[in-house]
Amino acid sequence: AVFNEELFAGELPACLITMQRVKKAYGYFAGGRFGTKDGTVVTDEIALNPSHFSRRTTQQSLSTLVHEMVHLWQHHFGKPSRGGYHNREWAEKMHSVGLVPSSTGEPGGNETGQRVTHYIATGGPFQIACDKLEKGGFDPLYVEIWEDAKKQAARSKKAASKTCYTCPNCGLN
């Protein structure tokens, strides 16, 4: 609600925000993905990938939410391109909310195309809104601990498999 009010003047419709583990993606937008059984209500989805939360700052993760909110805005108020393509209208809206589109995630990358990410504009509207949230103690992001535990267990198992044991009686390794 805060980003909708501060970056989109409250015009975005409600949508479902889900957590999905789509390999290599920080998030995605799916317009009209969910609805009631009788079909009378249809809503959109913004999905975030929690597998990346532990490796990114809160601002970086929340910038993915806003990136997808720009897709939501374009779905309802603009002219989206074919699936997955980031067009000029989308890029201009990204700039207006304080995110800089870039195919590389760095300055100088293409602002439009099939695979476009972004970086946060220093002192831009997104950063100002996010700073306000964080200063108020807001940190909504849980990080995935099962993945960390699995990785630690795998490292321990691998280390154990390389340990040499010697019989104290016969000297056999």
Side-chain angles (χ1 to χ4, degrees):
V2 170
F3 292 132
N4 188 15
E5 291 301 319
E6 299 217 7
L7 305 176
F8 298 90
E11 71 180 346
L12 295 183
C15 72
L16 292 178
I17 297 178
T18 63
M19 301 294 158
Q20 304 287 339
R21 288 171 188 81
V22 175
K23 201 171 190 173
K24 296 184 182 179
Y26 292 140
Y28 65 82
F29 169 76
R33 182 153 198 179
F34 291 98
T36 55
K37 286 184 180 183
D38 64 7
T40 58
V41 177
V42 175
T43 192
D44 310 303
E45 174 190 28
I46 290 177
L48 300 176
N49 188 342
S51 300
H52 298 285
F53 290 171
S54 64
R55 293 185 297 277
R56 301 177 80 213
T57 66
T58 297
Q59 280 201 7
Q60 288 170 327
S61 293
L62 290 175
S63 75
T64 297
L65 171 63
V66 172
H67 173 127
E68 303 310 335
M69 290 170 79
V70 172
H71 287 295
L72 173 66
W73 171 86
Q74 189 176 42
H75 179 75
H76 288 277
F77 305 106
K79 293 183 177 142
S81 298
R82 68 183 177 331
Y85 190 83
H86 299 80
N87 65 21
R88 175 61 41 207
E89 177 185 63
W90 174 86
E92 288 171 3
K93 188 66 172 178
M94 287 285 284
H95 279 285
S96 78
V97 300
L99 299 177
V100 182
S102 170
S103 57
T104 63
E106 302 287 332
N110 293 331
E111 292 194 349
T112 62
Q114 196 65 30
R115 294 188 57 85
V116 179
T117 184
H118 64 271
Y119 58 93
I120 299 166
T122 304
F126 169 78
Q127 191 174 59
I128 291 168
C130 213
D131 284 345
K132 218 188 294 186
L133 280 173
E134 288 181 318
K135 283 179 184 154
F138 181 77
D139 186 2
L141 301 175
Y142 282 86
V143 296
E144 204 166 29
I145 55 176
W146 281 13
E147 283 302 311
D148 291 341
K150 283 182 194 175
K151 287 176 189 170
Q152 185 61 38
R155 278 193 288 270
S156 296
K157 185 176 180 181
K158 187 174 182 181
S161 71
K162 297 192 181 290
T163 303
C164 180
Y165 296 96
T166 304
C167 177
N169 296 330
C170 68
L172 185 64
N173 289 330

